[in-house]
Amino acid sequence: MQRILLLLILLIFNSIIKLTAQENYSITVEFSGMKSDDGDVYVALYNTEDSFLKKPMTGEIAKVNDKKATITFKNVTPGEYAISAFHDENDNKKMDTKIFGIPKEPIGMSNNAKGFMGPPKYKDAKFTVDKNITLAITMK
C-alpha cells in the first residue's frame, strides 16, 4: 500500500512539473538585400519596449554569403520580441552613422519596420513567439 501511494505521489508530482515547465522555441532570421558579402550582420534581440534599440536581451553575429545571412536564436521563452540588425560592410565592428545618427550601413528590423523621422517603433517591429518561427528581414 505504501508503494502504491508513493508511486501515485510521484506521478502527480511529475505531472505538475510538466505542466508548469515552460517550453522554449527558436527564432530563425533570414536576411537578404545585402549589396556585398563583405563584413558581418550584427543582430540584436529585444524583449521589452523600454530596451528596444538600447539594450538587447541577446545578440548574434551572422556571416554573409551570397548576399544573404541566417541566424537562429535558440531556447527563447514564449513572449513578445523585436529584432534590429545592421550589415557591418567595412568590418569595423560598429554601425557607422552620418549626421544626426542616420545609418551609413544597411539596417533591418523585424516586420521590416521603418521609422518616420527617426528609428522604427517597438510596436511596429514586435512579434510573438509561441512556436518555432522564421522571419525574413530585408536590409536597406
Side-chain angles (χ1 to χ4, degrees), residues 60-78:
E60 295 287 339
I61 301 171
K63 296 286 180 201
V64 181
N65 290 310
D66 296 326
K67 300 177 184 173
K68 296 179 181 178
T70 302
I71 196 84
T72 300
F73 293 98
K74 297 178 181 178
N75 295 316
V76 178
T77 57

Side-chain angles (χ1 to χ4, degrees), residues 93-132:
K93 316 277 187 272
K94 65 178 187 172
M95 184 175 71
D96 297 319
T97 58
K98 304 176 195 175
I99 192 166
F100 303 118
I102 298 168
K104 284 184 183 179
E105 297 173 305
I107 62 166
M109 302 285 169
S110 44
N111 298 329
N112 287 311
K114 294 178 176 67
F116 178 74
M117 301 295 287
K121 305 285 186 224
Y122 180 78
K123 67 181 180 128
D124 297 325
K126 72 181 179 179
F127 58 91
T128 301
V129 173
D130 56 7
K131 61 184 175 185
N132 294 330

Side-chain angles (χ1 to χ4, degrees), residues 3 12 57-58 68 84 104-105 114 136:
R3 286 184 183 189
I12 292 170
M57 178 182 107
T58 188
K68 296 179 181 178
S84 71
K104 284 184 183 179
E105 297 173 305
K114 294 178 176 67

Side-chain angles (χ1 to χ4, degrees), residues 16-84:
I16 291 171
I17 288 174
K18 284 182 181 178
L19 288 174
T20 59
Q22 197 167 39
E23 196 165 342
N24 292 334
Y25 301 104
S26 65
I27 304 168
T28 299
V29 189
E30 299 171 345
F31 296 95
S32 61
M34 277 77 80
K35 295 181 173 92
S36 76
D37 287 351
D38 297 335
D40 297 318
V41 176
Y42 286 72
V43 187
L45 179 65
Y46 305 90
N47 61 348
T48 66
E49 184 172 3
D50 290 338
S51 67
F52 185 57
L53 302 178
K54 295 176 190 125
K55 186 172 180 180
M57 178 182 107
T58 188
E60 295 287 339
I61 301 171
K63 296 286 180 201
V64 181
N65 290 310
D66 296 326
K67 300 177 184 173
K68 296 179 181 178
T70 302
I71 196 84
T72 300
F73 293 98
K74 297 178 181 178
N75 295 316
V76 178
T77 57
E80 195 174 84
Y81 296 90
I83 289 176
S84 71

